[in-house]
Amino acid sequence: MKPLYTTEALSTGAGRDGHVRAADGALDLDMATPKEMGGSGNGFNPEQLFAGGYAACFHSALSLVAGQQKVQLQDESVGAKVTIGDDGNGGFELAVALEVVIPNVDHDVAQKLADAAHQVCPYSNATRGNIEVTVTVSDD
C-alpha cells in the first residue's frame, strides 16, 4: 500500500463510556454506551462513528466511479445502518446495510455504480469476508 493519509485517535476513560480525540483535535467526543446496550446513551458510540465513516467513504467511491463512467449524479445519498450483536460465542459482531439513493438515473445504471463503488471503497474492502454488508439501491 502506498500511504495517502494517516490519522490517529486516542480513547481514554472507560472505552464506550470514555472520550475519543483525534491527534489533530478535529474529532473530540464524549462516548456513551447506547441505552439498548444498558448505557446512558448520552454521547456518541463506535457504531455511529463507523456508520458515518462508511457512508461518507462509500459516497466518495460512488462519486469516483460515476465520474469515471461519465454518469452525472445529482442529489444522491448513501446511508449506512450498523448493527452490533452477540456472535453466540461470547463476543460481538457487526453487520452493515448500505442504502444508495440515486434519483434520476436508470436503476440498472445506479446498481452498476453501487456495485463498482463497493469494489473501490476502502471500508467495503476492509469488511469484505469479515462481516455481512448489504447494498441496496433505490431511486428515492
Side-chain angles (χ1 to χ4, degrees):
M1 174 179 73
K2 178 183 173 189
L4 299 174
Y5 172 73
T6 301
T7 188
E8 295 180 49
L10 178 66
S11 172
T12 57
R16 286 183 169 275
D17 291 306
H19 192 85
V20 173
R21 184 175 190 284
D24 65 2
L27 178 73
D28 195 353
L29 304 171
D30 287 327
M31 304 296 286
T33 301
K35 289 181 181 179
E36 296 84 351
M37 294 175 65
S40 71
N42 293 329
F44 296 94
N45 64 64
E47 292 72 34
Q48 291 170 320
L49 299 176
F50 186 63
Y54 203 156
C57 189
F58 196 94
H59 197 162
S60 290
L62 182 68
S63 296
L64 174 73
V65 298
Q68 290 171 339
Q69 297 181 24
K70 303 202 182 329
V71 176
Q72 182 69 37
L73 299 181
Q74 184 179 352
D75 299 325
E76 77 285 355
S77 63
V78 176
K81 181 191 296 185
V82 173
T83 301
I84 185 170
D86 185 332
D87 71 358
N89 296 313
F92 298 91
E93 64 182 282
L94 297 175
V96 178
L98 297 172
E99 182 181 9
V100 180
V101 178
I102 306 177
N104 305 315
V105 172
D106 178 77
H107 184 79
D108 290 341
V109 172
Q111 185 67 57
K112 288 178 182 175
L113 291 172
D115 292 344
H118 197 36
Q119 296 305 308
V120 172
C121 175
Y123 277 65
S124 293
N125 289 333
T127 58
R128 188 171 290 110
N130 297 311
I131 66 172
E132 179 183 345
V133 176
T134 59
V135 181
T136 304
V137 175
S138 60
D139 302 323
D140 58 282

